[in-house]
Amino acid sequence: MRNLALTFGAIVMILSGIFIFFGLALLFVKLPSHWQLRLLGHPLLVDLAVAIFTLAVHWGTFTGIMAATVAGLLTSAATGLARRACGFTRGAEYVPGWFT
């Protein structure tokens, strides 16, 4: 029975992180496209900002910290994928992606 409780806790942490990530991704999609491309041009800044924000909001419990960590890791992976797929801007230069 104890192993079931540990497994359920792990599932809750991972699902919470996934839900946090999708909430942040939906906010990103609502930004104007020039802001999206500009943010994708600074991937480390985006990753650090999301990680710090989610950790600050969910600080206080181990489940919250782990959910924020999962959201930060998913954001880092999505940032890299979005840069390659959609492109980004570096200063005044536009770097095209696979689909642009």
Side-chain angles (χ1 to χ4, degrees), residues 4-61:
L4 182 64
L6 290 176
T7 304
F8 179 73
I11 290 171
V12 167
M13 285 184 270
I14 292 170
L15 284 177
S16 297
I18 292 170
F19 290 143
I20 293 166
F21 165 73
F22 280 127
L24 293 171
L26 288 174
L27 288 175
F28 182 77
V29 169
K30 290 181 180 182
L31 291 174
S33 60
H34 65 278
W35 277 103
Q36 291 174 1
L37 293 173
R38 188 175 294 171
L39 284 173
L40 288 175
H42 304 284
L44 181 62
L45 179 67
V46 172
D47 292 344
L48 287 175
V50 167
I52 290 169
F53 174 74
T54 56
L55 286 171
V57 168
H58 298 285
W59 191 263
T61 64

Side-chain angles (χ1 to χ4, degrees), residues 28 33 36-41 79-90 93-100:
F28 182 77
S33 60
Q36 291 174 1
L37 293 173
R38 188 175 294 171
L39 284 173
L40 288 175
T79 302
L81 182 64
R83 281 173 55 95
R84 288 173 180 81
C86 302
F88 58 95
T89 57
R90 185 183 306 133
E93 175 191 6
Y94 171 69
V95 179
W98 297 326
F99 302 116
T100 55

Side-chain angles (χ1 to χ4, degrees), residues 60-73:
T61 64
F62 181 71
T63 304
I65 294 297
M66 292 306 297
T69 303
V70 169
L73 290 172

